[in-house]
Amino acid sequence: MSTTFTWQGFAILSAVFAALTAILGKLGVAHLNSNMATLIRTGVILLVTAIISLRAEWQRPSGGNWVGWTCLIASGVATGLSWLCYFRALQLGPVSLVAPVDKLSVALVMLAGWLVLGEPFTLKAAAGGGLIVLGSLILLL
């Protein structure tokens, strides 16, 4: 994937693709078991990622340390569990509520960034995270 975009450009593309994921996922689980839908989606993701990585950006995984590998493996487990829960939620509820509540993860990541990763805390970020939490709570109640 080209690196001419800034992090902001990739973040916006991520949001667009996440929106497509929600809409297409909701349509996809209408007549299919949510776990099977997640398996199909995962297979497609693996294929697309392999094609992109092998074609343009392949580099032999060398070195690293056990912490990095453990974190990547744990991240993969967390992703799988997130997707299974997300598709089940899409199957049971309206996409217009499921997707925004799922984005509560944004506020959780911000909090972890501040507390665990030592990223700088700003009032602007805190206000944005607080609004995300407030929006999720409003949708849940």
Side-chain angles (χ1 to χ4, degrees):
M1 191 167 264
S2 173
T3 56
T4 57
F5 281 154
T6 63
W7 70 264
Q8 294 96 332
F10 279 113
I12 290 168
L13 284 175
S14 176
V16 169
F17 289 128
L20 286 171
T21 298
I23 299 301
L24 296 171
K26 178 65 174 179
L27 295 171
V29 297
H31 303 289
L32 190 64
N33 175 284
S34 63
N35 292 336
M36 181 56 68
T38 303
L39 178 63
I40 293 166
R41 174 186 175 198
T42 303
V44 171
I45 292 167
L46 180 61
L47 180 65
V48 169
T49 304
I51 290 169
I52 291 170
S53 293
L54 294 174
R55 189 167 177 262
E57 298 178 356
W58 172 256
Q59 76 180 60
R60 185 170 180 260
S62 61
N65 60 33
W66 69 271
V67 173
W69 282 96
T70 302
C71 287
L72 286 174
I73 291 166
S75 174
V77 170
T79 298
L81 293 172
S82 172
W83 290 353
L84 288 166
C85 293
Y86 184 71
F87 266 46
R88 184 67 174 141
L90 281 177
Q91 197 169 49
L92 297 173
V95 69
S96 59
L97 297 178
V98 170
V101 170
D102 175 67
K103 296 310 173 212
L104 185 59
S105 64
V106 172
L108 296 174
V109 168
M110 292 171 77
L111 188 62
W114 297 325
L115 299 177
V116 178
L117 301 177
E119 293 181 354
F121 175 88
T122 65
L123 288 178
K124 182 171 103 173
L131 289 171
I132 291 169
V133 171
L134 181 61
S136 293
L137 290 175
I138 289 170
L139 291 173
L140 285 170
L141 301 176

